[in-house]
């Protein structure tokens, strides 16, 4: 069926595939569906998302405005016609007036900011600085009494852990103010509530990616959903032709305290957990006024919060600019942004703030009836799993137990009632974990394995502990921060003071080194791990793994099923869109994220590329230049003959491929092994490594993130020099995601083997067993269940491959070759998991062609492009 002609207000002439994408997105939102959309890098995916979604949003709001009188009719049965008409007109004029007031105010702010742009300096009022100095002095001069636990008398304390999570530890006064400000009108003195705008939540992995999206958002203009007021009669809207003028998009970006904190004393702590806890400490009831954070919203600075909201909505800002605005207004942008959520049309936020229920509650974020778009969603399953997984080491547990021992030596006699009971339970629980890891896991002949949760809880009296009550106690008592703070305090005393405190010499240094206040308290980290013990046993598993030197062992909780944690997002939102450059294979999302959703509600789309078909050639190579079968399975890839033929094949390919070549290996370990082999003399005058280095400059990806930019700069210089370069990289490494190998930087992408995860690892064994068990529970046969787990295993591999080969072809005029070096790439099953735009360029029957034919075709391909 032909798509309806819609005006998407795209800033440029859109490609045909962009029109297809925008129409599919519009329909998906309109029909309240779940969309899985794939659009290759270089096809303008961000602008397509913006234009498709915001066009729908403004059209929907306009229709709601036009239909608003019908809502009045439902409550006016039996009333005279003139009264019904009056009610209709009044409702419309109220909406128009509210909208006009808001737009007028925002327009004034925009004009003011434009005038001030050249001379805008950060505001730093003197009284604020003085207050911070006093705070600094107070923070640095604590005494022992500040580390004593407050009385905790009742498990039925009305302060529930849900409230702590929802309001982030805010004082009652601040909670009321935030809620009040969320309902303030744009007209000063007007008691009306701010209208809860229907909105789009756009989520991506990092603030860097969000910043790119926000820059695209600045390019677009959309007609208003509500007409302007007629100049001669403010009660009447002017005609639609003149009234629906372009209107700025109201945008808000959200971040964590670490992103938005402007209190330098708190910000310098560095770690997110440390910043969170210090922020909450400064807000606790009973904290002296001079020690509280001076930027926190209060009744005294209510107008600043309103001003922050208005300035945020007036212009599109990224996370750094939002922080700068908070500094200029001397108001906390983390808390002041909350009242801005309601009137926003589009809210951008990173994965953790959307995917964690506790984070949504802390931000007062409701997804009910709104649209959720998750970009870069190719790793969504892994992201949900990682967010809800956590690990702790035996050394951390021992250090935490020792710190708690030091604390108890000092304050044991001052612990009463519930404090004494719960601290004793913490000690017993830590001892139980330490005992099992030290006696069973560390001494095991196996380097890794599964840990039954019951074994962790086998210590004396541990089975009697109510973990829910204990976790609530830890959250409300702030035991972890008290213990950590006291250990730091005691360690900063003289050695004589240590002896007076009865501290053993070996406990010194249990804190976190010279920057002690900058890290997460170890007991706080363990507290997060204990939460995992309360998860349903079917959802996840505990695993242990020994460190390389076998001196330590790590205990890890891994989520096996992301469905439950994402289901609330799906059930609350009007529509959910997953988008990415390489979403293939898509079956994983359907089978393991939306398996409870009716098939009719799921819409998929895989767009082609903007390049002509002749600009891409894809070769699955089954045999090397010596005629050896290329099959890089775990059992066969260590063959010296295989590694030698791989080197000769890549060497020959570099004769035909100009400029830059990026080669991806299945792991760092295998890359190192191959390089060592190539550098070894084999009787010829030169090693394979030397011969390859003569052909192109050879560079290797480092495991260290800090070296990525240096390596890329060297690679770029090698290509600019005319010699060309080959960058040896790893699938899933730093070079396989987010790096742009456009034009000469990526005339070919080579993938060596298929990077299957280790199927013998305890984690993958459990994951695949879980998939099979759940499938059988749903009524499938055992063979069907096994096929489902096998497909998931293959999909994990192919998602990584697709992400790597997606580094090539970055714009309409780009061209490249993709070389898939393994005979298994010739199978229809594996090729079917490639993105559609790549699948269409795969050379058919490539496995039957001699290597000389491959070389000839590649040479002709690049000669034709160079001649064009």
């Amino acid at each position: 069926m032909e798509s309806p002609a819609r005006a998407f207000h795209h800033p440029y002439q859109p490609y045909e595939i962009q029109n297809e994408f925008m129409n599919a997105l519009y329909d998906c939102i309109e029909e309240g569906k779940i969309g899985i959309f794939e659009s290759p890098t270089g096809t303008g995916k961000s602008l397509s998302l913006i234009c498709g979604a915001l066009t729908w949003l403004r059209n929907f709001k306009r229709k709601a405005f036009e239909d608003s009188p019908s809502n009045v009719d439902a409550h006016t049965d039996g009333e005279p016609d003139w009264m019904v008409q009056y009610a209709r007109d009044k409702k419309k004029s109220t909406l128009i007036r509210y909208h006009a007031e808001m737009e007028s105010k925002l327009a004034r702010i925009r004009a003011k900011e434009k005038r001030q742009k050249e001379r805008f300096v950060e505001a730093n009022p003197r009284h604020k600085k003085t207050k911070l100095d006093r705070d600094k002095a107070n923070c640095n001069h604590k005494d022992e009494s500040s580390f004593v636990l407050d009385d905790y008398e009742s498990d039925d304390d009305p302060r529930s852990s849900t409230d702590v999570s929802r309001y982030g530890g805010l004082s009652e006064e601040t909670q009321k103010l935030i809620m009040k400000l969320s309902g303030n009108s744009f007209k000063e003195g007007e008691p009306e509530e701010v209208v809860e705008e229907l909105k789009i939540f756009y989520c991506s992995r990092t603030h860097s990616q969000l910043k790119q999206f926000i820059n695209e958002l600045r390019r677009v203009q959309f007609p208003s959903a509500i007409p302007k007021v007629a100049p001669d009669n403010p009660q009447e809207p002017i005609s639609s032709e003149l009234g629906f003028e372009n209107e700025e998009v109201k945008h808000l970006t959200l971040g964590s305290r670490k992103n938005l904190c402007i209190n330098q004393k708190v910000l310098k702590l560095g770690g997110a957990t440390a910043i969170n806890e210090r922020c909450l400490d400064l807000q606790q009831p009973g904290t002296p006024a001079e020690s509280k954070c001076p930027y926190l919203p209060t009744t005294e600075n209510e107008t600043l919060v309103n001003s922050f909201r208005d300035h945020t909505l007036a212009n599109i800002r990224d996370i750094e600019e939002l922080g700068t605005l908070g500094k200029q207004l001397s108001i906390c942008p983390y808390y002041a942004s909350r009242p801005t959520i309601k009137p926003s049309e589009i809210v951008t936020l990173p994965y953790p703030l959307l995917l964690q229920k506790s984070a949504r509650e802390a931000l007062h974020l409701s997804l009910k009836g709104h649209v959720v778009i998750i970009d870069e969603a190719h790793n969504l399953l892994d992201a949900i799993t990682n967010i809800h997984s956590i690990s702790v080491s035996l050394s951390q547990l021992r250090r935490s137990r020792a710190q708690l021992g030091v604390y108890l030596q000092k304050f044991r006699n001052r612990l009463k009632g519930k404090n004494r009971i719960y601290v004793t339970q913490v000690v017993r629980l830590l001892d139980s974990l330490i005992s099992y890891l030290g006696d069973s896991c560390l001494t095991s002949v196996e380097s890794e394995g599964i840990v039954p949760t019951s074994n962790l809880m086998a210590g004396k009296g541990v089975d009697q502990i109510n973990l829910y009550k204990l976790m609530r106690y830890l959250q409300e008592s702030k035991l972890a921060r008290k213990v950590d703070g006291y250990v730091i305090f005691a360690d900063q005393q003289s050695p004589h003071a240590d002896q007076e405190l009865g501290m053993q010499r070996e406990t010194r240094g249990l804190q976190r080194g010279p920057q002690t206040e900058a890290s997460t308290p170890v007991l706080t980290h363990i507290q997060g791990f204990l939460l995992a013990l309360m998860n349903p046993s079917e959802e996840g598993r505990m695993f242990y793994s020994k460190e390389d030197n076998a001196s330590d062992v790590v205990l890890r909780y891994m989520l096996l099923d992301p469905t439950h944690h994402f289901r609330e997002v799906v059930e609350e939102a009007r529509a959910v869109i997953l988008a990415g450059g390489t979403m293939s294979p898509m079956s994983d999302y359907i089978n393991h994220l939306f398996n409870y959703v009716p098939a009719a509600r799921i819409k998929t789309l895989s767009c082609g590329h903007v390049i002509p078909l002749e600009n891409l050639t894809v070769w699955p190579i089954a045999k090397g230049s010596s005629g050896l079968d290329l099959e890089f399975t775990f059992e066969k890839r260590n063959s010296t003959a295989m590694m030698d033929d791989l080197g000769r094949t890549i060497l020959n390919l570099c004769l035909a491929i100009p400029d830059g070549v990026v080669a991806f290996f299945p792991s760092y370990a295998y890359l190192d092994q191959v390089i060592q082999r190539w550098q070894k003399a084999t009787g010829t005058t030169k090693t394979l490594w030397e011969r390859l280095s003569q052909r192109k400059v050879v560079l290797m990806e480092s495991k260290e993130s800090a070296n990525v930019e240096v390596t890329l700069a060297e690679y770029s210089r090698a290509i600019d020099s005319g010699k060309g370069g080959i960058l040896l990289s790893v699938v899933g490494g730093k070079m396989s995601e987010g790096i742009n190998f456009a034009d000469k930087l990526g005339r070919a992408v080579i993938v060596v083997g298929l990077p299957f995860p280790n199927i013998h690892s305890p984690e993958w064994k459990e994951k695949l067993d879980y998939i099979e068990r759940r499938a059988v529970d749903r009524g499938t046969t055992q063979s069907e269940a096994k096929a489902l787990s096998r497909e998931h295993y293959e999909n994990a591999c192919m998602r990584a491959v697709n992400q790597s080969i997606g580094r090539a072809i970055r714009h309409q005029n780009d061209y490249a070759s993709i070389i898939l070096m393994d005979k298994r790439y010739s199978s229809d099953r594996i090729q079917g998991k490639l993105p559609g735009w790549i699948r269409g360029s795969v050379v058919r029957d490539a496995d039957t062609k001699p290597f000389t034919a491959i070389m000839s075709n590649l040479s002709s391909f690049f000669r034709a492009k160079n001649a064009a």
Side-chain angles (χ1 to χ4, degrees):
M1 188 176 68
E2 192 173 329
S3 298
R6 295 183 177 120
F8 285 108
H9 313 288
H10 198 286
Y12 310 109
Q13 179 62 43
Y15 302 124
E16 185 53 42
I17 61 168
Q18 288 179 309
N19 279 322
E20 180 187 10
F21 187 103
M22 290 185 291
N23 274 300
L25 176 63
Y26 190 108
D27 292 338
C28 192
I29 299 173
E30 177 68 21
E31 296 162 11
K33 291 187 175 182
I34 293 168
I36 307 172
F37 290 177
E38 179 177 67
S39 182
T41 303
T43 57
K45 169 170 60 71
S46 294
L47 275 175
S48 296
L49 285 169
I50 290 168
C51 295
L54 284 174
T55 296
W56 174 85
L57 182 68
R58 290 282 172 92
N59 286 353
F60 184 89
K61 289 165 65 176
R62 183 177 304 162
K63 187 174 186 302
F65 168 77
E66 291 167 352
D67 292 346
S68 58
S70 63
N71 298 329
V72 173
D73 295 348
H75 303 285
T76 54
D77 288 345
E79 301 293 344
D81 289 345
W82 67 268
M83 188 175 289
V84 173
Q85 187 61 45
Y86 174 79
R88 289 175 183 167
D89 294 343
K90 183 171 177 57
K91 181 162 187 177
K92 264 198 170 184
S93 64
T94 300
L95 288 172
I96 292 171
R97 187 172 67 252
Y98 169 83
H99 183 262
E101 289 169 356
M102 179 174 64
E103 288 304 310
S104 176
K105 175 179 262 191
L106 298 184
R108 289 196 300 272
I109 291 172
R110 288 186 200 107
K112 182 180 178 181
E113 286 192 358
K114 187 175 181 180
R115 291 193 302 269
Q116 291 179 335
K117 194 170 183 180
E118 296 293 326
R119 53 189 175 82
F120 211 38
V121 294
E122 290 187 6
N124 191 11
R126 185 176 299 275
H127 73 279
K128 294 292 182 187
K129 190 173 192 304
T130 305
K131 206 166 188 180
L132 275 178
D133 290 340
R134 288 200 303 268
D135 177 49
K136 184 175 181 178
N138 287 328
C139 285
N140 290 339
H141 291 86
K142 292 182 176 180
D143 57 27
E144 291 177 359
S145 63
S146 62
F147 303 111
V148 180
L149 289 166
D150 297 329
D151 289 343
Y152 187 88
E153 295 299 337
S154 173
D155 290 329
D156 300 320
D157 193 307
R159 297 170 299 160
S160 72
S161 56
T162 332
D163 291 335
V164 172
S165 167
R166 182 177 180 186
Y167 293 108
L170 287 172
S171 67
E172 186 177 355
E173 177 196 16
T174 305
Q175 289 178 28
K176 288 179 179 177
L177 179 63
I178 290 290
M179 297 307 292
K180 174 187 173 186
L181 292 172
S182 297
N184 270 2
S185 73
F186 281 83
K187 188 173 180 181
E188 294 180 14
E190 188 78 28
E192 278 183 63
E193 284 197 351
V194 167
V195 173
E196 171 71 56
E197 293 282 356
L198 178 63
K199 58 181 60 64
I200 295 158
F201 288 98
Y202 173 89
C203 177
S204 195
R205 287 186 305 122
T206 65
H207 279 291
S208 174
Q209 290 170 329
L210 290 174
K211 186 171 184 175
Q212 294 174 19
F213 179 85
I214 290 166
N215 286 336
E216 295 296 300
L217 190 59
R218 292 186 173 114
R219 299 176 187 268
V220 297
Q221 289 283 328
F222 295 93
S224 168
I226 297 177
K228 286 180 65 176
V229 178
D232 55 340
N233 186 353
Q235 297 300 316
E236 293 294 330
I238 57 180
S239 67
S240 297
E241 289 75 16
L242 298 175
F244 295 112
E245 296 181 351
N246 282 345
E247 179 187 304
E248 297 288 337
V249 175
K250 296 168 191 65
H251 163 263
L252 168 68
T253 192
L254 294 174
S256 64
R257 286 183 179 88
K258 186 175 180 180
N259 298 126
L260 292 172
C261 179
I262 58 174
N263 186 329
Q264 292 303 311
K265 174 65 179 175
V266 176
L267 191 58
K268 77 173 188 178
L269 297 177
T273 304
I275 289 172
N276 287 344
E277 293 205 357
R278 180 58 57 84
C279 175
L280 299 182
D281 284 346
L282 296 178
Q283 300 169 36
Q284 291 304 307
T287 304
E290 65 273 13
S291 295
K292 290 189 175 182
C293 178
Y295 300 116
L296 193 69
T298 65
T299 51
E300 296 176 2
N301 59 20
E302 182 176 335
T303 55
L304 290 179
V305 179
N306 285 334
S307 183
F308 179 90
R309 177 198 63 196
D310 296 343
H311 279 78
T312 300
L313 296 176
N315 285 298
I316 294 172
R317 303 174 195 269
D318 59 33
I319 196 72
E320 290 88 0
E321 291 164 339
L322 200 67
T324 301
L325 177 63
K327 290 178 185 177
Q328 291 165 350
L329 297 175
S330 294
I331 193 72
C332 172
Y334 175 75
Y335 285 115
S337 61
R338 295 184 185 187
T340 314
I341 296 172
K342 240 184 177 181
S344 298
E345 292 180 294
I346 182 165
V347 175
T348 55
L349 67 170
Y351 273 9
L353 298 187
L354 180 81
L355 299 179
Q356 282 182 296
K357 183 177 181 179
S358 59
R360 296 197 301 271
E361 288 177 343
L363 292 168
H364 305 165
L365 216 60
S366 170
L367 306 179
K368 190 70 175 176
H370 300 297
V371 177
V372 173
I373 297 176
I374 300 178
D375 203 358
E376 302 298 329
H378 59 273
N379 61 355
L380 180 61
L381 291 165
D382 292 336
I384 298 171
T385 297
N386 292 336
I387 284 172
H388 295 93
S389 300
I390 189 170
S391 61
V392 65
S393 68
L394 176 59
S395 58
Q396 285 177 315
L397 289 166
R398 285 172 171 165
R399 188 159 67 249
S400 179
R401 176 64 179 86
Q403 289 181 347
L404 194 54
V406 169
Y407 181 83
L408 286 173
Q409 275 189 302
K410 183 65 184 178
F411 299 110
R412 188 187 304 274
N413 294 333
R414 298 166 76 171
L415 295 180
K416 298 177 182 178
K418 297 292 184 181
N419 277 328
R420 181 183 291 274
I421 293 171
Y422 282 120
V423 172
T424 301
Q425 289 183 0
V426 174
V427 170
R428 285 181 176 175
L429 190 51
L430 289 175
D431 286 343
S432 184
L433 293 171
I434 290 168
S435 174
Y436 180 78
L437 289 182
D439 296 343
S440 299
C441 300
L442 196 59
T443 58
S444 172
V445 294
E446 300 293 336
S447 62
E448 56 184 1
I450 301 170
V451 177
T453 305
S454 57
N455 290 2
L456 298 174
M457 308 287 286
K460 182 180 177 181
V462 176
D463 59 335
Q464 302 299 315
I465 295 175
N466 184 321
L467 285 175
Y468 291 92
K469 287 186 176 181
L470 180 59
M471 287 309 304
R472 178 175 161 189
Y473 169 78
L474 289 172
Q475 289 173 340
E476 295 184 4
S477 68
K478 305 294 181 188
L479 175 65
R481 179 56 69 185
K482 298 276 187 181
V483 170
D484 188 71
Y486 175 69
V487 171
I488 295 170
F489 170 81
D491 189 69
Q492 290 171 346
Q493 308 304 306
S494 67
H496 299 294
D498 291 340
Q499 292 165 13
E500 292 170 11
L501 290 167
M503 292 173 64
Q504 296 298 319
R505 205 67 181 157
E506 58 267 24
T507 64
R508 286 181 58 78
L510 289 175
Q511 67 284 1
R512 303 170 306 273
Q515 298 299 323
T516 51
E517 291 186 301
S519 306
T520 301
V522 65
L523 187 55
T524 300
H525 177 72
I526 292 168
Q527 180 178 321
F529 179 82
L530 296 180
L531 279 170
L533 294 176
M534 300 190 300
N535 287 337
S537 59
E538 191 62 21
E539 277 189 11
R541 289 288 183 277
M542 292 284 183
F543 302 92
Y544 78 86
S545 60
K546 294 182 187 178
E547 295 294 290
D548 292 337
N549 57 10
S551 62
D552 202 2
V553 60
V554 174
L555 182 63
R556 180 170 185 252
Y557 171 81
M558 187 180 83
L559 183 72
L560 295 177
D561 187 0
T563 308
H564 170 73
H565 291 280
F566 196 62
R567 185 166 186 163
E568 189 171 303
V569 173
V570 174
E571 291 181 342
E572 282 194 5
R574 174 194 176 95
V576 176
I577 311 296
L578 309 187
T582 49
M583 295 297 290
S584 297
M586 295 184 183
S587 59
D588 264 6
Y589 308 101
I590 297 169
N591 293 333
H592 305 295
L593 205 55
F594 306 123
N595 52 34
Y596 56 91
V597 177
R601 200 191 161 199
I602 299 175
K603 183 182 184 70
T604 63
L605 174 70
S606 181
C607 292
H609 213 299
V610 293
I611 60 167
L613 278 175
E614 59 268 21
N615 279 22
L616 176 66
T617 182
V618 182
W619 282 90
I621 299 183
K623 294 180 183 292
S625 59
S626 303
L628 190 71
D629 280 350
L630 297 179
E631 189 174 5
F632 294 93
T633 61
F634 188 76
E635 295 78 15
K636 297 180 181 180
R637 69 187 188 186
N638 297 325
S639 156
T640 55
M642 182 85 72
M643 289 187 277
D644 289 344
D645 203 25
L646 170 64
R648 285 190 291 269
T649 303
I650 291 178
L651 181 66
N652 281 306
L653 289 172
C654 287
L655 281 172
I657 303 168
D659 305 316
V661 176
V662 186
F664 288 100
F665 287 72
S667 68
Y668 286 104
Y670 189 62
L671 174 59
D672 290 341
Q673 186 180 350
V674 168
I675 289 173
Q676 287 176 19
R677 175 63 191 172
W678 290 353
Q679 290 176 337
K680 187 175 181 179
T682 56
T684 58
T685 54
K686 291 182 179 178
T687 66
L688 271 169
W689 183 262
E690 289 169 336
R691 291 162 66 192
L692 188 59
S693 299
Q694 282 183 325
R695 194 69 44 82
K696 291 182 184 290
V697 176
V698 184
L699 294 161
M700 292 165 289
E701 175 184 339
S702 168
K703 289 183 182 179
E704 305 299 324
S705 299
N707 298 331
V708 170
E709 292 301 325
V710 174
T711 303
L712 287 174
E714 289 182 28
Y715 178 64
S716 182
R717 283 196 296 271
I719 291 163
D720 290 341
S721 72
K723 183 173 182 179
I726 179 167
L727 181 55
L728 306 179
S729 310
V730 174
V731 174
K734 313 294 184 304
M735 303 296 178
S736 67
E737 191 165 342
I739 304 296
N740 184 350
F741 291 110
D743 301 317
K744 291 184 177 182
L745 292 175
R747 287 303 178 213
V749 171
I750 298 173
V751 182
V752 178
L754 282 90
F756 283 105
N758 180 6
I759 198 169
H760 301 296
S761 70
E763 287 90 345
W764 268 98
K765 280 183 179 178
E766 278 299 303
K767 186 179 289 189
L768 298 179
D769 285 347
Y770 176 83
I771 290 171
E772 290 178 24
R773 288 196 305 273
R774 288 301 301 272
V776 170
D777 290 344
R778 292 195 300 268
T780 65
T781 65
Q782 191 64 48
S783 61
E784 289 171 335
K786 281 199 170 294
L788 196 62
S789 68
R790 177 192 173 192
E791 183 179 37
H792 179 67
Y793 181 62
E794 289 179 349
N795 288 350
C797 166
M798 290 306 295
R799 268 200 308 275
V801 169
N802 291 341
Q803 197 58 26
S804 297
I805 59 182
R807 301 307 92 211
I809 307 289
R810 310 300 284 184
H811 58 84
Q812 186 178 19
N813 298 315
D814 206 354
Y815 60 91
S817 59
I818 294 173
I819 315 293
L820 304 173
M821 298 184 66
D822 195 300
K823 65 185 297 184
R824 291 171 290 178
Y825 282 115
S826 298
S827 73
D828 291 339
R829 182 181 180 89
I830 294 298
Q831 287 187 15
K833 297 180 186 297
L834 294 169
W837 68 276
I838 291 177
R839 203 163 54 240
S841 295
V842 173
V843 177
R844 300 303 163 195
D845 301 321
D847 56 325
T848 65
K849 300 181 188 299
F851 187 74
T852 51
I854 297 171
M855 289 290 294
S856 175
N857 273 271
L858 281 173
S859 297
S860 299
F861 173 80
F862 285 109
R863 275 199 305 271
K865 295 302 164 191
N866 289 333

